[in-house]
Amino acid sequence: MRSLAVFMLGWVLVPLLAFAQEKVELNTITGVKVNGSTVEITGTKKPNFTTFTMTDPPRLVIDISEAILKGVPEETRVTSGLITGLRSANYGSDSAALARVLIGYDREVETDIQVTGNVLMVRVLEGGGPLVAQVFPGPEQSGEAATGPTAAEAQAGANQATVAAQQDRAAQEKAAADSAAAAQQDRAAQEKAQADATAAAKQAEEDRRKQEEAARAEAAKKAEDERRAQELAAAEDKKRQQEIARAEEEARKQAAAEEKKRKEAEARAEAEVRKQQEADEKKRKAEEAEQKRLAALEEKKRRAEEARAEVEARKQQEADEKKRKAEEAEQKRLAALEEKKRRAEEAEQKRLAQAEPKPRDEGARPPRVAAAEPPRREEPESPSAGSVSGRRGILEIVGFQQRDGGSRVYVRTSEPVSYKVSEGRNEIVLMLENTQIGKGNNTRALDTSFFDTAVTRVDPTVGPDRSVRVSIKLKEQVPVQTRQEGNTISLEFARPSR
């Protein structure tokens, strides 16, 4: 009976011993601190870890296997240096336990990771660059021997215990046979055997009780483990909720930052628009001043040309008058000569008549000699003011003038050219035939919408068949008068009714 009890106890305790031997001793991480650009991670064992990098923002993640964080804050803010902050978290349990440490940097850097005893150090190298993820072998990878028995050794011990139990059972059966034989021989020996059996039964009962206590302890331990697992799951869930809350807070901050950035961009855009409007207004005023200056110059030039034309016309008239008087004097001289010649001929005829005998017919008279009439002066034809040259004209100026009674659009060419005027809906088109645009600046449109006139825009462009098309946009249809004076064609517009 004692052997059977020993066998049963061994059958129960060997797996428990193997299970206890398989339980891993975790590396407890007790400190994560920042020293300048170096992070030190301190635990109770030499760390077995892997690393990987993340971007936007730059981060280095260190996963320490078979480890647990204890007394380490979940988040640490760093306000100076390359490191911006630390985060730590626990994952899994028992042999699957994992301690994670995340290091944030303000830019991409190159790191050097070293292990000294139980301390893991992450140092930023000079110069910066991409993060380097390194993997260091753990005790299993480096070939170091484990301190406790392996599962195979535990199984071998269990097999040995089974063999020993079988041997004990065989010995028990032999002892029972020997006891029966001894009972027949000696009653005293039988009573002793019975006493031994009773003691063995008591021992077996004691062993059963201990076994039940061990089972209850194991069940209690299992329940405790389950409770701890539930607490760990609850802690993980709480941590997950905290992570979600932090993510939502970061998203809110990011949205606020983006909203602020958008408003700043809108403010900058409005400032740019306002600045552009001011620049356009300044440019418009400058162009208006330039147009006024050009119009004044054009008006001055026109008046000078009119004055020159009047002077030339006056000189031409004086020359014509002088020529006319000279011709009249010549005609008078020729008439005087003719009269003198006529009188001489009449005197000669009288003399001859006195010398000749008188004719019988008293009534007959000598023939009259016709006097020559003075030649008639032909007036030269004056050239027409709108005469057109056969050469191709060049568009030199397109101008605009605001007047009291309306407005004036004028174009000046290198010489008089033929033109046509057509009217459309709120538009007048002036076609200059056999004309080309001289300077490229003359292709720019004149914006006159800000003047209190009917004209809003004057746009010269190259037309078909070697012509120039000048489009004049109107606010409303108003009367227009067109005239040509030398090289200048003017269109006079009345003031709009509104």
Side-chain angles (χ1 to χ4, degrees):
M1 292 296 293
R2 180 176 294 180
S3 299
L4 180 60
V6 172
F7 168 74
M8 294 298 294
L9 183 61
W11 184 78
V12 172
L13 294 179
V14 168
L16 293 176
L17 179 61
F19 176 79
Q21 291 174 347
E22 289 178 355
K23 189 173 182 180
V24 178
E25 181 180 358
L26 298 180
N27 182 6
T28 302
I29 306 301
T30 58
V32 178
K33 63 180 182 177
V34 179
N35 185 10
S37 60
T38 302
V39 177
E40 296 182 1
I41 304 173
T42 305
T44 58
K45 295 174 58 178
K46 183 177 181 180
N48 180 22
F49 66 96
T50 59
T51 64
F52 63 94
T53 61
M54 301 177 71
T55 59
D56 194 21
R59 289 159 289 175
L60 173 64
V61 180
I62 304 172
D63 288 339
I64 305 174
S65 59
E66 299 179 1
I68 185 171
L69 294 162
K70 187 174 182 181
V72 177
E74 292 182 355
E75 185 172 1
T76 304
R77 297 288 183 180
V78 181
T79 59
S80 62
L82 296 175
I83 301 174
T84 59
L86 300 175
R87 287 187 180 179
S88 57
N90 288 318
Y91 298 93
S93 61
D94 296 334
S95 60
L98 180 71
R100 172 169 291 180
V101 178
L102 184 145
I103 307 173
Y105 297 93
D106 65 346
R107 60 183 174 85
E108 292 187 354
V109 297
E110 184 177 359
T111 59
D112 178 33
I113 304 176
Q114 295 183 359
V115 177
T116 304
N118 298 342
V119 179
L120 186 149
M121 290 187 295
V122 181
R123 182 171 58 88
V124 177
L125 298 179
E126 296 293 333
L131 297 174
V132 179
Q134 303 181 5
V135 180
F136 291 85
E140 292 80 7
Q141 297 172 346
S142 60
E144 295 179 4
T147 57
T150 64
E153 291 174 347
Q155 185 64 36
N159 294 336
Q160 291 176 1
T162 303
V163 172
Q166 292 175 354
Q167 291 175 356
D168 289 341
R169 186 171 62 251
Q172 181 183 7
E173 292 174 354
K174 183 179 179 182
D178 291 342
S179 177
Q184 294 176 359
Q185 295 176 0
D186 191 353
R187 185 178 182 85
Q190 184 178 7
E191 292 176 354
K192 186 175 186 257
Q194 290 177 353
D196 292 338
T198 301
K202 290 181 179 180
Q203 184 65 37
E205 182 66 20
E206 182 67 19
D207 292 340
R208 185 184 62 78
R209 184 181 61 78
K210 290 182 178 180
Q211 182 179 356
E212 290 177 351
E213 290 178 355
R216 285 194 298 270
E218 180 64 23
K221 184 177 180 299
K222 186 176 181 181
E224 180 66 18
D225 292 340
E226 290 177 354
R227 184 185 64 79
R228 290 181 178 179
Q230 290 176 356
E231 290 178 353
L232 183 60
E236 289 288 339
D237 186 68
K238 181 180 179 181
K239 185 180 295 183
R240 183 176 61 80
Q241 294 294 336
Q242 292 175 351
E243 288 289 340
I244 292 174
R246 281 196 295 270
E248 291 177 350
E249 180 66 18
E250 290 179 356
R252 186 186 63 77
K253 291 180 180 179
Q254 182 68 21
E258 290 177 354
E259 179 65 18
K260 182 179 179 181
K261 185 176 180 181
R262 182 186 65 79
K263 290 182 178 179
E264 291 176 351
E266 289 179 352
R268 286 195 298 270
E270 290 177 356
E272 288 294 332
V273 170
R274 187 163 55 252
K275 185 178 180 181
Q276 184 64 33
Q277 290 176 348
E278 292 174 355
D280 292 341
E281 181 65 17
K282 184 177 180 181
K283 182 179 179 181
R284 182 189 65 78
K285 290 181 178 179
E287 290 178 349
E288 181 180 350
E290 180 65 15
Q291 289 177 0
K292 289 181 179 180
R293 187 184 67 82
L294 292 176
L297 291 175
E298 182 65 21
E299 183 65 19
K300 183 178 179 181
K301 185 175 181 181
R302 185 185 64 80
R303 291 178 180 176
E305 289 176 352
E306 290 178 351
R308 283 196 300 272
E310 291 176 357
V311 172
E312 289 175 358
R314 189 164 54 251
K315 289 181 179 179
Q316 185 66 34
Q317 290 176 356
E318 292 174 355
D320 293 340
E321 182 65 20
K322 185 177 181 180
K323 182 177 180 181
R324 184 184 63 78
K325 290 179 178 181
E327 288 175 350
E328 288 179 351
E330 181 67 17
Q331 289 176 0
K332 288 179 179 180
R333 186 181 66 82
L334 293 175
L337 290 175
E338 288 293 334
E339 181 66 20
K340 184 178 181 180
K341 182 177 179 183
R342 184 181 64 78
R343 289 177 181 177
E345 288 177 349
E346 287 178 351
E348 182 66 20
Q349 288 177 0
K350 288 180 179 182
R351 187 183 64 79
L352 292 176
Q354 291 174 358
E356 290 179 359
K358 292 183 180 181
R360 294 179 180 178
D361 189 2
E362 292 284 340
R365 295 183 179 178
R368 299 179 62 181
V369 178
E373 296 180 354
R376 212 169 54 181
R377 182 172 64 90
E378 295 182 359
E379 295 291 339
E381 295 182 359
S382 59
S384 174
S387 61
V388 178
S389 172
R391 295 186 300 272
R392 189 176 185 183
I394 298 175
L395 177 62
E396 295 179 344
I397 291 177
V398 178
F400 171 81
Q401 290 179 338
Q402 183 179 10
R403 296 188 172 184
D404 294 337
S407 58
R408 174 176 178 257
V409 177
Y410 63 91
V411 296
R412 191 181 70 191
T413 56
S414 59
E415 49 191 288
V417 297
S418 297
Y419 67 91
K420 295 179 181 179
V421 178
S422 59
E423 297 186 16
R425 181 176 178 81
N426 293 341
E427 182 183 16
I428 301 295
V429 178
L430 172 64
M431 296 293 295
L432 305 178
E433 299 178 354
N434 194 24
T435 307
Q436 63 182 354
I437 297 178
K439 298 180 180 179
N441 192 43
N442 289 334
T443 61
R444 294 181 59 187
L446 300 180
D447 183 7
T448 61
S449 59
F450 43 84
F451 290 105
D452 186 18
T453 65
V455 180
T456 62
R457 183 181 178 90
V458 181
D459 191 4
T461 57
V462 177
D465 300 331
R466 298 165 58 89
S467 65
V468 174
R469 183 179 187 272
V470 182
S471 172
I472 304 172
K473 300 290 184 180
L474 303 176
K475 297 177 182 177
E476 60 180 71
Q477 207 72 26
V478 296
V480 58
Q481 294 182 356
T482 307
R483 72 172 183 271
Q484 183 177 18
E485 297 177 351
N487 300 352
T488 303
I489 300 174
S490 303
L491 290 88
E492 304 287 343
F493 294 90
R495 186 176 296 276
S497 60
R498 56 184 178 185

